[in-house]
Amino acid sequence: MARPIIIDTDPGQDDAVAILLALASPELDVLGITTVAGNVPQPLVTTNALRLCELVGRTDVPVFIGAHQPLVRELFTAEYVHGPTGIDGADLPDPVTTAQPKHAVDFIIDTCLAAGTDGVTLCPVGPLTNIASAIAREPMIIPKIREIALMGGGFFAGGNTTPVAEFNIYVDPDAASLVFNSGVPITMFSLDVTHKALVLPEDLDRIRAIDTPVGEAVAGMLGYYERHDVEKYGIAGAPLHDPCVIAYLIDPDLFTGKACRVDVETESELTVGQTIVDWWGVTGAEPNTMVMSEIDRSGFIDLVVERIAEL
Ligand code: BDR
Ligand code: CA
C-alpha cells in the first residue's frame, strides 16, 4: 500500500522537484500539500503549489494555505536564491484552481487524527511553523504521526543563512525547537547530506533531454536556481535539498546516517537557528532524530530523472 504523506512546503525550485517526485511515485500517497511562508511569502507559495499540481494534471491533490509568518518572529524570505516568484526559471501559467478553504494546520490535525494504525508521514521542506502549530494545538496527533522526514539544519556543514543556521530552521527556530522536542520520530536531511545531493551539468542535460513540458519546467527551474549555489559555494551544481526527503521515503537505502540528539538554538543572537547535533553522543542524551549524512548521489539522481520523465 502506498505510504500516506503530507508535504508541507514553501516552493521554491527544490520544493517543486520534491512535489513532482512525490506525485510521480506510486510508493507514496500525497494526501495534501500544505504551504508555509518561507522562500517567498504567502500567497506566492500557495500559487506555486497549485501551479505545480496543474502542470502535472494532479488537481485532485488538495492544497491548503498555512502560516503567513513564523510563530513569533518576522518573516525572512529568500528571493535572493529563488527569484521573485520562488520558482523562477519555469514559466508556469497562473493557476486556475484554488486552495482549499480549510487552514493547513486544521488539515494536518484532522488527517492525523483520522489516520489508521499506519499513521501519516509528515514531510516538511520549509520552515516548521505549520507542523509546530498542529502539534501544539492538538498533541493527540503525536502518536498518529508515523515519522517527520524533514529538510533542515546543518552541523559539520555549518549554515547557509548565517554561518551556523540553515534557512528553514533560521526562519522559525521556535517552531523547529518545538518539533524536535515533540517525541515524534524525526529523520533529518540537513545541509550535511543535501550539499552532496548535487545536480551536475550532465544531470541537467538528462532532464532537458526528457523533452516534455514537465522536463522543460524542471530544467528551467534548476538552471535558474543553481546560479546562487555555484557562485556562493563554488560547487559544480545546485543541491537538491528538499527532494532528499521524498527520495528517502521511496528508497531509504539511498541514505545513511546516525541516531543523535538534536536541539535548536532559539536565544543567542549570534547563533539563533543553529541545530546542535550531538553526533558523537557526548551528552549521553537519548537520540531524538535520525540524522542523515551520506547519499548515493547517482542512485538519487537516477530516481529523480526517471520519475520526472514519467510525468
Ligand atoms: C532550504 O531552504 C530553501 O531555500 C530550500 O527550499 C530548502 O528547503 C535549504 O536551506
Ligand atoms: Ca523548501
Side-chain angles (χ1 to χ4, degrees):
M1 211 186 82
R3 180 168 177 168
I5 68 168
I6 296 174
I7 305 177
D8 187 68
T9 176
D10 60 337
Q13 291 90 350
D14 61 323
D15 302 71
V17 178
I19 292 168
L20 297 177
L21 178 59
L23 293 179
S25 298
E27 298 87 347
L28 303 176
D29 178 11
V30 183
L31 303 177
I33 296 173
T34 52
T35 64
V36 59
N39 288 324
V40 288
Q42 295 279 10
L44 263 178
V45 283
T46 304
T47 306
N48 290 345
L50 291 167
R51 281 189 171 119
L52 292 159
C53 291
E54 289 186 13
L55 172 69
V56 294
R58 289 299 305 275
T59 51
D60 58 303
V61 177
V63 173
F64 299 86
I65 305 170
H68 286 63
Q69 57 195 39
L71 293 183
V72 293
R73 295 169 203 258
E74 291 292 312
L75 178 63
F76 173 82
T77 53
E79 287 87 352
Y80 61 96
V81 179
H82 300 274
T85 69
I87 54 170
D88 281 45
D91 193 15
L92 301 180
D94 286 339
V96 291
T97 48
T98 52
Q100 302 294 309
K102 191 184 257 195
H103 192 278
V105 172
D106 294 321
F107 171 72
I108 294 169
I109 291 173
D110 294 348
T111 307
C112 291
L113 290 179
T117 45
D118 280 354
V120 178
T121 297
L122 303 183
C123 306
V125 292
L128 286 156
T129 320
N130 289 334
I131 308 297
S133 301
I135 291 171
R137 195 184 306 161
E138 184 44 275
M140 297 281 280
I141 67 172
I142 290 172
K144 297 298 201 113
I145 304 172
R146 172 168 164 186
E147 179 178 2
I148 296 178
L150 64 85
M151 190 284 136
F155 46 115
F156 296 120
N160 61 0
T161 305
T162 76
V164 296
E166 178 279 329
F167 180 80
N168 291 340
I169 307 294
Y170 178 77
V171 171
D172 201 342
D174 311 286
S177 178
L178 190 149
V179 170
F180 278 98
N181 281 294
S182 67
V184 175
I186 296 175
T187 305
M188 171 179 171
F189 296 82
S190 73
L191 298 177
D192 290 85
V193 65
T194 67
H195 276 186
K196 296 170 188 164
L198 296 183
V199 184
L200 300 176
E202 57 268 32
D203 307 321
L204 215 44
D205 289 344
R206 283 176 69 189
I207 296 171
R208 257 186 226 106
I210 294 172
D211 201 19
T212 61
V214 181
E216 193 187 318
V218 171
M221 281 190 283
L222 295 181
Y224 177 87
Y225 164 74
E226 73 169 7
R227 91 217 174 282
H228 174 81
D229 294 276
V230 170
E231 270 168 36
K232 187 164 174 187
Y233 303 104
I235 48 185
L240 276 182
H241 304 284
D242 298 345
C244 287
V245 166
I246 304 298
Y248 154 76
L249 294 173
I250 299 167
D251 184 358
D253 293 341
L254 290 171
F255 299 90
T256 51
K258 192 169 169 180
C260 303
R261 174 75 207 179
V262 179
D263 286 293
V264 178
E265 175 59 55
T266 57
E267 295 192 357
S268 153
E269 263 183 51
L270 187 62
T271 59
V272 66
Q274 181 173 17
T275 45
I276 315 300
V277 177
D278 186 7
W279 184 257
W280 303 114
V282 293
T283 62
E286 195 61 31
N288 59 353
T289 304
M290 184 67 194
V291 178
M292 294 304 189
S293 58
E294 297 298 332
I295 179 173
D296 166 4
R297 196 198 77 87
S298 64
F300 167 73
I301 293 293
D302 285 349
L303 178 72
V304 171
V305 175
E306 281 159 21
R307 296 293 169 98
I308 296 296
E310 280 164 23
L311 286 167

